[in-house]
Amino acid sequence: MKGSENKMEIIRKVKEMQEISDRLRHEGKKIGFVPTMGYLHEGHLSLVRKARVLSDAVVVSIFVNPTQFGPGEDFERYPRDEEGDKAKLEAEDVDFLFIPEAGEMYPSGYQTHVEVTEVSKGLCGDFRPGHFRGVATVVAKLFNIVKPRVAVFGEKDYQQLLVIKRIVRDLNFDIEILSGTLIREEDGLAMSSRNAYLSPEGRQKALSLYRSLLKGKELYETGEKDASVLVKAVQKSVESTAGIVLQYVEIRDAETLDRIERVGKPSVIAVAALIDSVRLIDNMILGR
Ligand code: PAF
């Protein structure tokens, strides 16, 4: 708790987490929540710091959610490091770490899912069928378990952020959703737990995503507002690096994710690509 010397408590059961959250709320404490899948990096920790400043008690969850991975995706090999994560969170003065088992979140007979129909379409939704249904479901469950007043999500997963804002609006969760800016490595690579899969050569190739987005942004800032021209420039730049399979480059309205023809309001250029079969996403906001 802010200003206290308490050690971080590890909670593995849903019921126990709910009881703790009820007690905190009863004591008038504002709960700040950062859901994660672990293997934490500076991007996650920046979200934790944001939650720390805005709340009295910080809860972080680590749960590699099986329902958001499709068949053939990396659920089994998703990087995990519980001890390392605990040490990082303790150093950030986190109060509670919620780490449930899959059977605790999805007991046998489980059959309820949350689906955000429109915002989940296109972009990553086209390449990962069922992904956002899994994300929306687990986040709604986590909200009911942790009962936060504020929750923080990264802008790196931009479509996910808008899916979550939509759930909160549509299902009347009384939670303020805040976002944290995308954090990059020194050379510009967007931080991601999946960067751990990259070979040194793959990591060099992956930098093309950042460089290409930067090109698009520079073009926009020097006067180009036609979305298709900007998209083509980014596409061409990504495709000039051998060994990258581009999935999409798109420019969408940053608030609604609607398709746009001209960049007037804040917009997001989003890209997804496979580098040596590792799927990476990145984005940049234009006009903010
Ligand atoms: O962004 C993530 O790490 C996950 O998609 C989330 C929000 C924790 C849900 O499993």
Side-chain angles (χ1 to χ4, degrees):
M1 240 70 60
K2 226 182 248 173
S4 76
E5 297 296 306
N6 286 347
K7 222 174 152 302
M8 182 172 76
E9 271 186 57
I10 314 281
I11 319 296
R12 296 190 187 268
K13 297 287 173 209
V14 166
K15 193 86 205 120
E16 194 191 348
M17 188 68 247
Q18 284 176 319
E19 282 166 7
I20 289 170
S21 299
D22 284 343
R23 173 172 58 75
L24 292 168
R25 281 186 154 236
H26 187 73
E27 289 167 0
K29 301 220 163 78
K30 182 174 176 183
I31 302 173
F33 179 41
V34 182
T36 80
M37 298 208 298
Y39 210 70
L40 304 175
H41 51 67
E42 266 304 303
H44 298 109
L45 300 181
S46 70
L47 307 180
V48 171
R49 286 172 205 138
K50 194 156 185 170
R52 176 76 284 162
V53 172
L54 294 165
S55 45
D56 304 307
V58 176
V59 181
V60 173
S61 64
I62 294 179
F63 179 60
V64 183
N65 172 37
T67 66
Q68 69 188 73
F69 290 81
E73 289 191 348
D74 56 342
F75 173 66
E76 294 298 340
R77 68 174 191 128
Y78 195 83
R80 291 160 169 90
D81 177 17
E82 193 175 309
E83 288 314 307
D85 287 347
K86 277 185 200 160
K88 286 177 190 159
L89 295 175
E90 224 144 18
E92 293 299 332
D93 206 13
V94 165
D95 300 292
F96 300 94
L97 171 58
F98 178 54
I99 320 190
E101 292 289 335
E104 184 68 9
M105 293 295 279
Y106 300 108
S108 80
Y110 187 89
Q111 49 188 287
T112 304
H113 297 275
V114 177
E115 192 144 4
V116 178
T117 54
E118 296 310 309
V119 184
S120 302
K121 279 189 191 147
L123 304 168
C124 289
D126 279 351
F127 292 87
R128 304 189 69 189
H131 169 66
F132 288 116
R133 182 183 194 248
V135 169
T137 301
V138 82
V139 168
K141 284 170 66 64
L142 288 166
F143 283 168
N144 282 327
I145 295 166
V146 174
K147 311 182 191 199
R149 288 268 308 283
V150 48
V152 195
F153 293 84
E155 285 185 351
K156 153 100 186 331
D157 296 285
Y158 202 85
Q159 190 174 14
Q160 166 174 286
L161 172 67
L162 294 203
V163 164
I164 287 156
K165 285 187 173 170
R166 197 72 248 174
I167 306 171
V168 165
R169 236 175 278 151
D170 290 354
L171 298 183
N172 307 100
F173 280 103
D174 189 13
I175 301 172
E176 188 183 358
I177 301 300
L178 296 173
S179 59
T181 48
L182 190 155
I183 306 290
R184 297 183 182 280
E185 303 286 355
E186 251 173 48
D187 57 8
L189 183 67
M191 286 197 185
S192 163
S193 306
R194 289 190 169 97
N195 291 347
Y197 300 143
L198 293 168
S199 64
E201 301 76 47
R203 201 186 172 296
Q204 278 311 108
K205 286 183 212 163
L207 286 177
S208 161
L209 300 184
Y210 170 63
R211 280 199 302 263
S212 304
L213 287 171
L214 216 50
K215 261 188 199 149
K217 190 166 190 199
E218 274 162 17
L219 209 55
Y220 163 77
E221 282 171 355
T222 51
E224 183 58 67
K225 301 289 183 272
D226 185 322
S228 66
V229 173
L230 294 168
V231 163
K232 277 196 196 107
V234 177
Q235 258 166 0
K236 193 169 158 219
S237 168
V238 174
E239 282 167 348
S240 69
T241 304
I244 296 193
V245 180
L246 186 60
Q247 289 194 330
Y248 66 75
V249 178
E250 284 201 44
I251 301 191
R252 301 279 189 108
D253 182 289
E255 217 171 290
T256 60
L257 273 199
D258 288 344
R259 289 174 199 280
I260 50 169
E261 285 178 11
R262 290 191 70 73
V263 183
K265 290 193 291 170
S267 311
V268 56
I269 324 186
V271 55
L274 299 173
I275 290 131
D276 302 336
S277 44
V278 178
R279 187 174 190 278
L280 297 180
I281 57 172
D282 198 347
N283 71 70
M284 253 176 221
I285 310 290
L286 304 179
R288 179 166 72 182

